[in-house]
């Protein structure tokens, strides 16, 4: 639920959290240290464009850059990640370090069957994107998807619920992957 008053509050920056923080331990305990460790030559601050909306419970590690007109939900974004303009990241998403997300991407879409599917839609409201990934422009990643480290998702690709993509993979442009 977005509330105008709380949506404009300063996001949580990892360096401001204590080790005992329940947000850190509950939301991110299953990510490996490789996904979220700081790298050398990285800025310790977070840059959020003034025209972007960041959920007050979003956890942004050091060096994260968020461009204009983005909507960032209650999620975790790893250090050094670059989020270009017009990106939507929904609640429950975890992005590894040094990932680049290009304009127009939607990560964490809720699947709808609209009566056209032969099976009922079943999913968990979680998306995990590994470290060093590149998410192309206008990509749609549905809930209940896991993407490994150093994977490229091409322009306008669609990754449907319950898909698992490994490390060092390339998904071409305009491809839809269903389970």
């Amino acid at each position: 639920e977005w509330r105008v008053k709380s949506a404009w509050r300063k996001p949580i920056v990892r360096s401001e959290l204590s080790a005992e923080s329940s947000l850190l331990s509950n939301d991110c305990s299953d990510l490996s240290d490789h996904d979220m460790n700081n790298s050398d030559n990285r800025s310790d601050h977070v840059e959020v464009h003034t025209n972007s909306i960041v959920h007050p419970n979003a956890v942004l590690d050091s060096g994260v850059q968020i461009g204009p007109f983005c909507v960032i939900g209650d999620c975790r974004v790893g250090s050094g990640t670059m989020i270009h303009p017009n990106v939507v990241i929904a609640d429950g998403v975890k992005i590894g370090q040094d990932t680049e997300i290009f304009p127009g991407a939607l990560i964490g879409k809720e699947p709808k069957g609209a009566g056209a599917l032969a099976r009922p839609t079943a999913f968990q409201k979680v998306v995990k994107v590994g470290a060093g990934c590149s998410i192309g422009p206008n990509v749609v990643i549905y809930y209940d998807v896991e993407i490994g480290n150093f994977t490229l998702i091409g322009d306008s690709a669609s990754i449907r619920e319950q898909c698992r993509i490994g490390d060092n993979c390339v998904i071409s442009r305009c491809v839809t992957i269903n389970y």
Side-chain angles (χ1 to χ4, degrees):
E1 175 182 289
W2 291 101
R3 294 171 292 181
V4 174
K5 209 178 216 183
S6 64
W8 292 102
R9 284 185 14 208
K10 182 180 173 192
I12 298 169
V13 178
R14 185 176 185 197
S15 61
E16 297 172 0
L17 296 173
S18 67
E20 299 83 32
S21 171
S22 62
L23 280 174
L24 202 55
S25 61
N26 289 342
D27 290 343
C28 305
S29 59
D30 57 339
L31 288 176
S32 69
D33 289 337
H34 173 72
D35 291 340
M36 296 296 176
N37 282 342
N38 290 332
S39 295
D40 294 334
N41 302 320
R42 183 172 295 124
S43 172
D44 285 335
H45 69 282
V46 171
E47 295 178 23
V48 178
H49 193 278
T50 57
N51 290 333
S52 288
I53 299 173
V54 176
H55 191 282
N57 293 332
V59 177
L60 308 174
D61 286 349
S62 64
V64 170
Q65 297 177 32
I66 299 175
F69 308 111
C70 293
V71 178
I72 310 298
D74 184 2
C75 64
R76 170 75 179 267
V77 181
S79 60
T81 294
M82 170 63 140
I83 301 172
H84 290 270
N86 300 308
V87 169
V88 176
I89 300 177
D91 296 346
V93 174
K94 297 173 186 170
I95 308 287
Q97 73 177 24
D98 298 322
T99 292
E100 188 166 11
I101 304 169
F102 287 91
L106 169 56
I107 302 176
K109 182 174 180 175
E110 194 166 315
K112 305 286 185 200
L117 297 177
R119 57 173 171 73
T121 56
F123 62 95
Q124 296 177 350
K125 281 189 130 180
V126 174
V127 175
K128 295 178 186 174
V129 177
C133 291
S134 181
I135 310 295
N138 303 310
V139 166
V140 178
I141 300 174
Y142 286 76
Y143 274 121
D144 203 5
V145 168
E146 291 182 21
I147 298 172
N149 298 321
F150 309 107
T151 292
L152 169 74
I153 308 294
D155 307 356
S156 299
S158 177
I159 314 297
R160 293 291 306 214
E161 69 276 7
Q162 298 182 7
C163 286
R164 307 294 180 254
I165 299 171
D167 294 343
N168 303 304
C169 292
V170 175
I171 307 300
S172 294
R173 298 170 152 174
C174 303
V175 169
T176 298
I177 299 180
N178 294 308
Y179 74 94

